[in-house]
Amino acid sequence: MSLEIAIPTYNRHLTINDKTLKLLEKFNKKQVKLYVEDLDQYEQYKKTCEDYDIVVTQTEGIVEKRNYIMSKTESKYLLMLDDDIINIKNIDGNNITSDELKELILLGFKTTVENNCRLWGINGYSNNYFFKDQYSTNLKFIIGCFCGIIINDNRPILIPEDLTVLEDYYLSIKYFQEDGKIIRFNQFGIQQKYFTGDGGLQSHYSKDERVAEQNRCITYIHQRFHKYCSIIKKKDCLDFRLNHRARR
């Protein structure tokens, strides 16, 4: 399998080996690439991740990094992971091993090919109480911290530059709109502390800036895909609700 595991990362050179890279310890290191934004970051990561290919993108922000990765990869099968994944849980609430992660990735791409679509992922939360022992093909959120994309002869779907956050919602809806299916394995989920800890691409924004950008991007996406989602007004911000019964 022509597989690339791409990890966009920022200022986490001291922790990434104990998190995401630890999950990949049984993988061929040549399949794993770390994407950093400038030469200063490159020098920091080279000290702690010298066994991995480190790519300088000269981009700032997660949208620019994802577009760079999707447009530059030479692999047919692309898996994008965040740099701070603690564990991946199965339906029994157990952490999966590196070998089991290999099996999941193979199954993910195989199932996506069989369903003639291009995007797959897992739950964005780790509470197995809400897991289901099956995969789904209807419109569900494919979280950006663990998403597999098949790069076929067509160009990959790129994210509009007007978006700065919630790019994974955009990709979930856009791939469903084009393919009629996206695959989510509901029996697995991510254990991760979102928007916490030092580093991470979210550190480019303050909390207030992040909320303002979220509100703006939700409105942007809803204007273009109102058939597939609705806006929920909360006390301090807006949120999304996907239409799980939507059709292509």
Short mmCIF file of all heavy atoms in Angstrom, two decimals, residues 180-220:
data_model
loop_
_atom_site.label_atom_id
_atom_site.label_comp_id
_atom_site.label_asym_id
_atom_site.label_seq_id
_atom_site.Cartn_x
_atom_site.Cartn_y
_atom_site.Cartn_z
N GLY A 180 -21.27 10.87 -2.13
CA GLY A 180 -22.50 10.25 -1.64
C GLY A 180 -22.32 9.39 -0.41
O GLY A 180 -23.29 8.91 0.18
N LYS A 181 -21.06 9.18 0.01
CA LYS A 181 -20.75 8.39 1.21
C LYS A 181 -19.45 8.91 1.82
O LYS A 181 -18.57 9.38 1.11
CB LYS A 181 -20.55 6.91 0.87
CG LYS A 181 -21.77 6.16 0.38
CD LYS A 181 -21.40 4.72 0.06
CE LYS A 181 -22.57 3.94 -0.50
NZ LYS A 181 -22.19 2.53 -0.82
N ILE A 182 -19.35 8.81 3.13
CA ILE A 182 -18.08 8.88 3.83
C ILE A 182 -18.12 7.79 4.90
O ILE A 182 -19.18 7.42 5.38
CB ILE A 182 -17.80 10.26 4.47
CG1 ILE A 182 -18.97 10.72 5.34
CG2 ILE A 182 -17.49 11.30 3.41
CD1 ILE A 182 -18.72 12.08 6.03
N ILE A 183 -16.97 7.26 5.24
CA ILE A 183 -16.91 6.11 6.15
C ILE A 183 -16.45 6.57 7.52
O ILE A 183 -15.42 7.22 7.65
CB ILE A 183 -15.93 5.04 5.62
CG1 ILE A 183 -16.29 4.62 4.19
CG2 ILE A 183 -15.89 3.84 6.57
CD1 ILE A 183 -17.63 3.97 4.04
N ARG A 184 -17.25 6.22 8.56
CA ARG A 184 -16.77 6.44 9.93
C ARG A 184 -16.90 5.16 10.72
O ARG A 184 -17.98 4.57 10.79
CB ARG A 184 -17.53 7.57 10.63
CG ARG A 184 -16.78 8.01 11.91
CD ARG A 184 -17.38 9.23 12.56
NE ARG A 184 -18.54 8.87 13.38
CZ ARG A 184 -19.21 9.76 14.12
NH1 ARG A 184 -18.86 11.04 14.11
NH2 ARG A 184 -20.24 9.37 14.84
N PHE A 185 -15.78 4.74 11.30
CA PHE A 185 -15.77 3.55 12.16
C PHE A 185 -16.18 3.98 13.56
O PHE A 185 -15.38 4.53 14.32
CB PHE A 185 -14.38 2.90 12.14
CG PHE A 185 -14.10 2.16 10.87
CD1 PHE A 185 -13.56 2.82 9.78
CD2 PHE A 185 -14.41 0.82 10.73
CE1 PHE A 185 -13.32 2.14 8.59
CE2 PHE A 185 -14.18 0.13 9.55
CZ PHE A 185 -13.64 0.80 8.47
N ASN A 186 -17.43 3.70 13.89
CA ASN A 186 -18.01 4.19 15.14
C ASN A 186 -17.61 3.37 16.35
O ASN A 186 -18.01 3.68 17.48
CB ASN A 186 -19.53 4.22 15.00
CG ASN A 186 -19.97 5.15 13.89
OD1 ASN A 186 -19.69 6.34 13.92
ND2 ASN A 186 -20.65 4.61 12.89
N GLN A 187 -16.82 2.31 16.14
CA GLN A 187 -16.36 1.48 17.25
C GLN A 187 -14.98 1.89 17.76
O GLN A 187 -14.41 1.24 18.63
CB GLN A 187 -16.38 0.00 16.86
CG GLN A 187 -15.49 -0.36 15.67
CD GLN A 187 -16.22 -0.30 14.35
OE1 GLN A 187 -16.77 0.73 14.00
NE2 GLN A 187 -16.21 -1.40 13.60
N PHE A 188 -14.44 3.00 17.22
CA PHE A 188 -13.14 3.52 17.66
C PHE A 188 -13.24 5.02 17.90
O PHE A 188 -14.04 5.71 17.27
CB PHE A 188 -12.05 3.25 16.61
CG PHE A 188 -11.81 1.80 16.33
CD1 PHE A 188 -12.44 1.16 15.27
CD2 PHE A 188 -10.95 1.07 17.13
CE1 PHE A 188 -12.22 -0.18 15.01
CE2 PHE A 188 -10.72 -0.27 16.89
CZ PHE A 188 -11.36 -0.90 15.83
N GLY A 189 -12.41 5.51 18.81
CA GLY A 189 -12.42 6.95 19.09
C GLY A 189 -11.08 7.45 19.58
O GLY A 189 -10.24 6.69 20.07
N ILE A 190 -10.90 8.75 19.48
CA ILE A 190 -9.64 9.44 19.82
C ILE A 190 -9.64 9.88 21.28
O ILE A 190 -10.62 10.44 21.76
CB ILE A 190 -9.48 10.69 18.94
CG1 ILE A 190 -9.20 10.29 17.49
CG2 ILE A 190 -8.36 11.58 19.45
CD1 ILE A 190 -7.80 9.86 17.22
N GLN A 191 -8.53 9.62 21.97
CA GLN A 191 -8.31 10.23 23.28
C GLN A 191 -7.30 11.35 23.09
O GLN A 191 -6.14 11.11 22.75
CB GLN A 191 -7.79 9.22 24.30
CG GLN A 191 -7.62 9.82 25.70
CD GLN A 191 -7.05 8.83 26.70
OE1 GLN A 191 -6.79 7.68 26.37
NE2 GLN A 191 -6.86 9.30 27.91
N GLN A 192 -7.76 12.55 23.31
CA GLN A 192 -6.95 13.73 23.04
C GLN A 192 -7.50 14.89 23.85
O GLN A 192 -8.69 14.97 24.11
CB GLN A 192 -7.02 14.06 21.53
CG GLN A 192 -6.17 15.22 21.07
CD GLN A 192 -6.37 15.48 19.58
OE1 GLN A 192 -7.45 15.24 19.05
NE2 GLN A 192 -5.36 15.98 18.90
N LYS A 193 -6.63 15.79 24.27
CA LYS A 193 -7.06 16.99 25.00
C LYS A 193 -7.04 18.16 24.03
O LYS A 193 -5.98 18.70 23.73
CB LYS A 193 -6.16 17.24 26.20
CG LYS A 193 -6.27 16.17 27.27
CD LYS A 193 -5.41 16.49 28.48
CE LYS A 193 -5.56 15.43 29.55
NZ LYS A 193 -4.72 15.71 30.74
N TYR A 194 -8.24 18.51 23.54
CA TYR A 194 -8.33 19.55 22.52
C TYR A 194 -8.05 20.93 23.11
O TYR A 194 -8.52 21.27 24.20
CB TYR A 194 -9.72 19.55 21.89
CG TYR A 194 -10.05 18.25 21.19
CD1 TYR A 194 -10.92 17.32 21.77
CD2 TYR A 194 -9.47 17.94 19.98
CE1 TYR A 194 -11.21 16.12 21.13
CE2 TYR A 194 -9.74 16.74 19.33
CZ TYR A 194 -10.61 15.84 19.92
OH TYR A 194 -10.89 14.65 19.29
N PHE A 195 -7.26 21.71 22.39
CA PHE A 195 -6.97 23.10 22.73
C PHE A 195 -6.33 23.25 24.11
O PHE A 195 -6.54 24.24 24.80
CB PHE A 195 -8.25 23.96 22.68
CG PHE A 195 -8.96 23.87 21.37
CD1 PHE A 195 -10.28 23.43 21.31
CD2 PHE A 195 -8.32 24.20 20.19
CE1 PHE A 195 -10.94 23.34 20.10
CE2 PHE A 195 -8.98 24.11 18.96
CZ PHE A 195 -10.29 23.68 18.92
N THR A 196 -5.56 22.27 24.53
CA THR A 196 -4.85 22.37 25.80
C THR A 196 -3.38 22.01 25.58
O THR A 196 -3.00 21.45 24.56
CB THR A 196 -5.44 21.42 26.85
OG1 THR A 196 -5.32 20.07 26.40
CG2 THR A 196 -6.90 21.73 27.12
N GLY A 197 -2.57 22.36 26.56
CA GLY A 197 -1.15 22.04 26.47
C GLY A 197 -0.40 23.07 25.64
O GLY A 197 -0.97 23.87 24.91
N ASP A 198 0.91 23.06 25.78
CA ASP A 198 1.74 23.98 25.02
C ASP A 198 1.82 23.56 23.57
O ASP A 198 1.72 22.39 23.22
CB ASP A 198 3.16 24.02 25.61
CG ASP A 198 3.17 24.61 27.02
OD1 ASP A 198 2.29 25.43 27.31
OD2 ASP A 198 4.05 24.23 27.80
N GLY A 199 2.05 24.56 22.70
CA GLY A 199 2.21 24.27 21.29
C GLY A 199 0.89 23.97 20.62
O GLY A 199 -0.19 24.31 21.10
N GLY A 200 0.98 23.32 19.46
CA GLY A 200 -0.22 23.04 18.68
C GLY A 200 -0.54 24.22 17.79
O GLY A 200 -0.24 25.37 18.10
N LEU A 201 -1.18 23.92 16.66
CA LEU A 201 -1.48 24.98 15.71
C LEU A 201 -2.50 25.96 16.25
O LEU A 201 -2.59 27.09 15.79
CB LEU A 201 -1.96 24.35 14.40
CG LEU A 201 -0.88 23.55 13.66
CD1 LEU A 201 -1.50 22.70 12.57
CD2 LEU A 201 0.18 24.46 13.09
N GLN A 202 -3.30 25.54 17.25
CA GLN A 202 -4.28 26.47 17.81
C GLN A 202 -3.63 27.59 18.60
O GLN A 202 -4.26 28.60 18.91
CB GLN A 202 -5.27 25.71 18.71
CG GLN A 202 -4.79 25.43 20.13
CD GLN A 202 -3.87 24.23 20.21
OE1 GLN A 202 -3.73 23.51 19.23
NE2 GLN A 202 -3.26 24.00 21.33
N SER A 203 -2.33 27.45 18.93
CA SER A 203 -1.66 28.48 19.72
C SER A 203 -1.43 29.76 18.93
O SER A 203 -1.00 30.77 19.48
CB SER A 203 -0.32 27.94 20.26
OG SER A 203 0.54 27.56 19.20
N HIS A 204 -1.74 29.74 17.64
CA HIS A 204 -1.68 30.97 16.84
C HIS A 204 -2.82 31.91 17.21
O HIS A 204 -2.78 33.09 16.84
CB HIS A 204 -1.75 30.65 15.35
CG HIS A 204 -0.49 30.03 14.80
ND1 HIS A 204 0.73 30.64 14.88
CD2 HIS A 204 -0.28 28.85 14.14
CE1 HIS A 204 1.65 29.87 14.30
NE2 HIS A 204 1.06 28.78 13.85
N TYR A 205 -3.84 31.41 17.92
CA TYR A 205 -5.02 32.21 18.25
C TYR A 205 -5.23 32.25 19.76
O TYR A 205 -4.98 31.26 20.46
CB TYR A 205 -6.29 31.62 17.62
CG TYR A 205 -6.29 31.58 16.11
CD1 TYR A 205 -5.99 30.39 15.44
CD2 TYR A 205 -6.60 32.70 15.37
CE1 TYR A 205 -5.99 30.35 14.06
CE2 TYR A 205 -6.61 32.66 13.99
CZ TYR A 205 -6.30 31.49 13.34
OH TYR A 205 -6.31 31.43 11.97
N SER A 206 -5.72 33.38 20.25
CA SER A 206 -6.20 33.44 21.62
C SER A 206 -7.58 32.78 21.67
O SER A 206 -8.18 32.49 20.63
CB SER A 206 -6.31 34.89 22.09
OG SER A 206 -7.35 35.56 21.38
N LYS A 207 -8.09 32.54 22.88
CA LYS A 207 -9.40 31.90 23.02
C LYS A 207 -10.49 32.73 22.34
O LYS A 207 -11.34 32.20 21.62
CB LYS A 207 -9.74 31.69 24.49
CG LYS A 207 -11.09 31.01 24.71
CD LYS A 207 -11.38 30.80 26.18
CE LYS A 207 -12.74 30.14 26.37
NZ LYS A 207 -13.06 29.93 27.81
N ASP A 208 -10.48 34.06 22.57
CA ASP A 208 -11.50 34.92 21.98
C ASP A 208 -11.38 34.94 20.46
O ASP A 208 -12.40 34.94 19.75
CB ASP A 208 -11.37 36.35 22.53
CG ASP A 208 -11.82 36.45 23.98
OD1 ASP A 208 -12.51 35.53 24.45
OD2 ASP A 208 -11.45 37.44 24.65
N GLU A 209 -10.16 34.95 19.96
CA GLU A 209 -9.96 34.93 18.51
C GLU A 209 -10.46 33.62 17.91
O GLU A 209 -11.06 33.61 16.83
CB GLU A 209 -8.48 35.12 18.18
CG GLU A 209 -7.97 36.53 18.41
CD GLU A 209 -6.47 36.63 18.27
OE1 GLU A 209 -5.78 35.59 18.44
OE2 GLU A 209 -5.96 37.75 18.00
N ARG A 210 -10.24 32.53 18.64
CA ARG A 210 -10.67 31.23 18.15
C ARG A 210 -12.19 31.15 18.08
O ARG A 210 -12.76 30.61 17.12
CB ARG A 210 -10.11 30.12 19.04
CG ARG A 210 -10.30 28.73 18.46
CD ARG A 210 -9.41 27.71 19.16
NE ARG A 210 -9.73 27.53 20.55
CZ ARG A 210 -8.91 27.81 21.56
NH1 ARG A 210 -7.72 28.28 21.32
NH2 ARG A 210 -9.28 27.61 22.81
N VAL A 211 -12.88 31.69 19.10
CA VAL A 211 -14.34 31.69 19.10
C VAL A 211 -14.87 32.54 17.95
O VAL A 211 -15.81 32.15 17.24
CB VAL A 211 -14.88 32.20 20.44
CG1 VAL A 211 -16.39 32.45 20.36
CG2 VAL A 211 -14.58 31.21 21.55
N ALA A 212 -14.26 33.70 17.73
CA ALA A 212 -14.69 34.58 16.65
C ALA A 212 -14.49 33.91 15.29
O ALA A 212 -15.36 33.99 14.40
CB ALA A 212 -13.92 35.90 16.70
N GLU A 213 -13.37 33.24 15.11
CA GLU A 213 -13.11 32.54 13.86
C GLU A 213 -14.06 31.37 13.68
O GLU A 213 -14.53 31.09 12.58
CB GLU A 213 -11.65 32.07 13.81
CG GLU A 213 -10.66 33.16 13.46
CD GLU A 213 -10.96 33.80 12.11
OE1 GLU A 213 -10.81 33.11 11.08
OE2 GLU A 213 -11.38 34.96 12.10
N GLN A 214 -14.36 30.67 14.77
CA GLN A 214 -15.30 29.56 14.69
C GLN A 214 -16.67 30.05 14.23
O GLN A 214 -17.28 29.45 13.34
CB GLN A 214 -15.43 28.86 16.04
CG GLN A 214 -16.50 27.77 16.06
CD GLN A 214 -16.54 27.01 17.37
OE1 GLN A 214 -15.51 26.57 17.86
NE2 GLN A 214 -17.73 26.86 17.93
N ASN A 215 -17.14 31.14 14.82
CA ASN A 215 -18.45 31.69 14.44
C ASN A 215 -18.46 32.09 12.97
O ASN A 215 -19.43 31.82 12.24
CB ASN A 215 -18.79 32.89 15.32
CG ASN A 215 -19.09 32.50 16.75
OD1 ASN A 215 -19.31 31.32 17.05
ND2 ASN A 215 -19.10 33.47 17.65
N ARG A 216 -17.39 32.74 12.53
CA ARG A 216 -17.32 33.18 11.14
C ARG A 216 -17.29 31.98 10.18
O ARG A 216 -18.00 31.98 9.15
CB ARG A 216 -16.07 34.05 10.93
CG ARG A 216 -15.97 34.64 9.53
CD ARG A 216 -14.65 35.38 9.33
NE ARG A 216 -13.52 34.48 9.35
CZ ARG A 216 -13.12 33.73 8.32
NH1 ARG A 216 -13.81 33.74 7.18
NH2 ARG A 216 -12.07 32.94 8.42
N CYS A 217 -16.51 30.97 10.51
CA CYS A 217 -16.37 29.81 9.63
C CYS A 217 -17.63 28.96 9.61
O CYS A 217 -17.98 28.37 8.57
CB CYS A 217 -15.15 28.99 10.03
SG CYS A 217 -13.57 29.84 9.70
N ILE A 218 -18.33 28.86 10.73
CA ILE A 218 -19.61 28.15 10.75
C ILE A 218 -20.60 28.82 9.80
O ILE A 218 -21.29 28.15 9.02
CB ILE A 218 -20.18 28.10 12.19
CG1 ILE A 218 -19.43 27.03 13.00
CG2 ILE A 218 -21.67 27.81 12.18
CD1 ILE A 218 -19.82 26.97 14.46
N THR A 219 -20.66 30.13 9.86
CA THR A 219 -21.56 30.87 8.97
C THR A 219 -21.17 30.66 7.51
O THR A 219 -22.02 30.45 6.64
CB THR A 219 -21.52 32.37 9.32
OG1 THR A 219 -21.90 32.55 10.69
CG2 THR A 219 -22.48 33.16 8.43
N TYR A 220 -19.87 30.69 7.25
CA TYR A 220 -19.34 30.49 5.89
C TYR A 220 -19.75 29.12 5.35
O TYR A 220 -20.25 29.01 4.22
CB TYR A 220 -17.82 30.63 5.92
CG TYR A 220 -17.12 30.37 4.60
CD1 TYR A 220 -16.81 31.42 3.75
CD2 TYR A 220 -16.78 29.08 4.22
CE1 TYR A 220 -16.15 31.19 2.54
CE2 TYR A 220 -16.12 28.84 3.01
CZ TYR A 220 -15.82 29.89 2.17
OH TYR A 220 -15.18 29.65 0.98
#
